[in-house]
Amino acid sequence: MKFSESWLREFVNPELSTQDLVDQLTMAGLEVDGFEPVAASFSKVVVGEILSTESHPDADKLVVCNVSSGAEEHQVVCGAPNARKGIKIPFALVGAKLEDFKIKKAKLRGVESFGMLCSEKELGISDNHEGLMELPLDAPVGDDIRDYLSLDDAIIDLDLTPNRSDCLGMVGLGRETGLVNGLDVKKLEIKTVAATIEDTFAVSLQAGESCPRFVGRVIKGIRLDAQTPLWMKEKLRRSEIRSIDPVVDVTNYIMLELGQPMHAYDLSKLQGEIVVRKSEASEKVVLLDSSDVELLDDTLLITDQSGAIGIAGIMGGLTTSVTDETVDIFLESAFFSPMAIAGRARSYGMNTDASHRFERGVDWQGQAQAIERATELLLSIAGGNAGPTTETVLADQLPEVPSVSLRLSRVKRLLGVDIGAEQVSDMLARLGFDSKRDGEADATVWQVTAPSHRFDISIEADLIEEISRVYGYNNLPVRTPVSQLHMAPVSEAQLTVNRIKDQLVARGYQEAITYSFVDPAMQLLLDPESDPIGLANPISSEMGVMRTTLWSGLLKSLIYNVNRQQTRVRLFETGLRFLQTPNTVELEISNIQQEPMLAGVVYGDRQTENWSEGSQAIDFYDVKGDVESVIALSGDQAHFQFEKGVHPALHPGQTAVITRNAEPVGYLGLIDPRVAKSLGLEQNAYLFEVKLSGLASRRVPQATNLSKFPEVRRDIAVIVDKNVSAAEIDGCVKSVEINALQNLKLFDVYQGEGIDLNRKSIALGLTFQDASRTLTDDEINDFVAKIIEALSTQLGASLRN
């Protein structure tokens, strides 16, 4: 919001410079973006009058003007298209300075010129340079133009927070300025204009929760050809509002002065009665800017028998607009609920001064005052006869004024300063708040009721904020907070997510964070067996369901990187997947399982490009090693197994189910070639996904003494069926439960000559050691025999000679 500093000083005039004033407003919570002078620096520019004009003898586009400066007449050559006899204009005399440009006597095409006639741009008032700046016909010739137009002024640009819409009018700004300076504010005298005619226009409110008050007035016989006074035009211009005609200018002026947007209808174009109601889908209205708008459902409308004639609180309609032929008008001053207007203008691609105020809130008791003020101004400018003011109100739908408790002890605690009860009472009175005080000393409590223009006061913290503003933010003490902090206990039995992330980063992965909303097509491709949770109002069609696997986002990130010439990608993510209980009839939050997961994708070469090794593509065991390194952090590797598995998104022959204590906790494998083809991946990509709950519990290491006795290793080779896995052999050997067995290592696999085609030879290294004595050969032979017997019984193994 931009406004004139001199206009503000009409209400309250603190002895402050412009810079000090804007600093004070900012520190009072009304942030000022900046300020600038109303006009450029110039001197010796007076009100001039063109007495006569004649064509330039040698130039078609120039005229020779005889200009009066009050004391004498001057010949001036001018090229402005609107230079004509009888108008009054800014006249820069010889010797005048416009910024750094000095006006001198000159010859233009052989004709002498003594001075310059000025446009608004040459005076630095605006960018308009299409013609001379025309002044009112009653402008006193010879007066200094700076004094006549009050150009020793500044335009202040205010950036208000949404809760302070009471300062979107000059009365509110004056009230705030007087408050922080402890000065009385000049009260705006609004006279009740007596009706001279009996004409009224009926209004019906069918959306009382959105519009509980509508004040209107009929004014007949106005003259739209009347000139808006210069003082009003200047105040509007300095607020970046263009003067149009007396009716529009007055309604805009009231909006700037009181903060109450108004609208005027051509009375002859209204049909039946005005009805304020909600729109129905596909209704249409033509607005003042000639745009034809198809309305959304539930938009607040102003209508008559002909249909919609405006969008309430945003913009009026063209069909009932005031034009040059208008003689009779109906003035509107209404209260629209902020919730009814908020966001509506943006939904139609608009942002109007009216919507800016209504969606933040206007004084719900100020409509009648605005009508009276507008009537007074309009009659003084354009004449006419006013009918009685009619107020249509639904009292039970008007905003309620809450009574808020304020404790002195709470004020002192939050602000950290000792403010006395009398001082607080004085601040509340200066704010215009009604209050009742009870109690003594720190037990003092006030019951506070805010005025109607301060609808942002609803809780105790709001009142304390007001006290801090009045007290002065700069006067509040600056203290470093002191607190006793205690380290939160961290259990060694829990593996943290950050430790898992550190491990994967150390192995060359990069963390990704992707959306929980994913493409339904991608979700179906990767997890067709799950029923994903659909979104009622998705951001886009590609973000229509909640993910049941983190692979959806990771593969999208992989494709994004591959399409940008990244040939080696290793990504991981931790996050939630969302599963719903099967056969759910009505989805509720209790039916949704949010499960923390760890997932990763690997693509490209095993190592980054280097001089010592050639290019080698990653394989299943590279990724398995990465997952095993994470599992090792749990200290419980013995209870994890990688078993052959099946997953719809993974290759049937290169898929492993990861189990812990025989319970599935994740999957690992090569992406199914059909899935890869549909995603446009030309090389192999490997995926893994593990439940974080399956990794979280950690086995705490137990310290034991090192054995002082020698260890003994025995190597054996057994022949087993070729489908027997290393994990099965490992489990079989450990099932014998030989305490002296310290290490088991599979160090060779052989298939070939001398071995049945359906079998394979496995070489095992068995290391034995006892903590209390040296093992004998007989004991070791007995251990080996028991192991061979278990392998034979459970896996059909035979000892290879």
Side-chain angles (χ1 to χ4, degrees), residues 278-415:
K278 294 294 184 70
S279 67
E280 298 175 0
S282 300
E283 276 192 274
K284 291 187 176 181
V285 60
V286 180
L287 299 177
L288 286 171
D289 60 0
S290 299
S291 59
D292 194 347
V293 177
E294 183 173 325
L295 298 166
L296 304 173
D297 189 25
D298 207 37
T299 298
L300 191 63
L301 289 183
I302 309 296
T303 67
D304 66 1
Q305 285 185 358
S306 67
I309 57 173
I311 303 178
I314 298 176
M315 188 179 290
L318 186 64
T319 57
T320 56
S321 65
V322 174
T323 63
D324 293 341
E325 290 77 32
T326 298
V327 176
D328 305 329
I329 64 170
F330 178 68
L331 280 180
E332 165 206 304
S333 177
F335 171 71
F336 301 118
S337 166
M339 294 303 296
I341 308 300
R344 291 295 191 276
R346 288 185 292 278
S347 69
Y348 294 111
M350 294 186 289
N351 181 23
T352 64
D353 288 329
S355 67
H356 182 76
R357 286 163 172 79
F358 278 123
E359 67 184 5
R360 286 159 174 78
V362 300
D363 184 353
W364 55 273
Q365 292 184 350
Q367 288 70 48
Q369 272 196 329
I371 281 283
E372 296 294 347
R373 177 67 168 156
T375 304
E376 178 189 1
L377 290 172
L378 192 55
L379 294 184
S380 67
I381 297 170
N385 296 292
T389 298
T390 57
E391 182 176 14
T392 308
V393 60
L394 302 175
D396 59 329
Q397 299 286 348
L398 290 171
E400 295 182 359
V401 180
S403 179
V404 183
S405 296
L406 175 64
R407 297 164 290 173
L408 181 60
S409 58
R410 189 67 174 169
V411 173
K412 293 181 178 180
R413 181 180 175 187
L414 287 185
L415 300 186

Side-chain angles (χ1 to χ4, degrees), residues 590-647:
S590 58
N591 298 330
I592 300 175
Q593 179 185 357
Q594 302 181 59
E595 192 169 23
M597 303 294 291
L598 167 69
V601 60
V602 184
Y603 179 90
D605 292 342
R606 178 177 291 131
Q607 301 290 340
T608 56
E609 186 177 9
N610 61 84
W611 61 270
S612 63
E613 297 182 26
S615 174
Q616 294 182 343
I618 55 164
D619 59 26
F620 178 90
Y621 295 100
D622 292 321
V623 184
K624 180 172 179 283
D626 293 334
V627 176
E628 285 177 329
S629 75
V630 173
I631 291 173
L633 299 175
S634 70
D636 195 30
Q637 304 95 302
H639 292 93
F640 282 87
Q641 298 292 334
F642 289 82
E643 301 174 2
K644 183 177 180 180
V646 176
H647 190 285

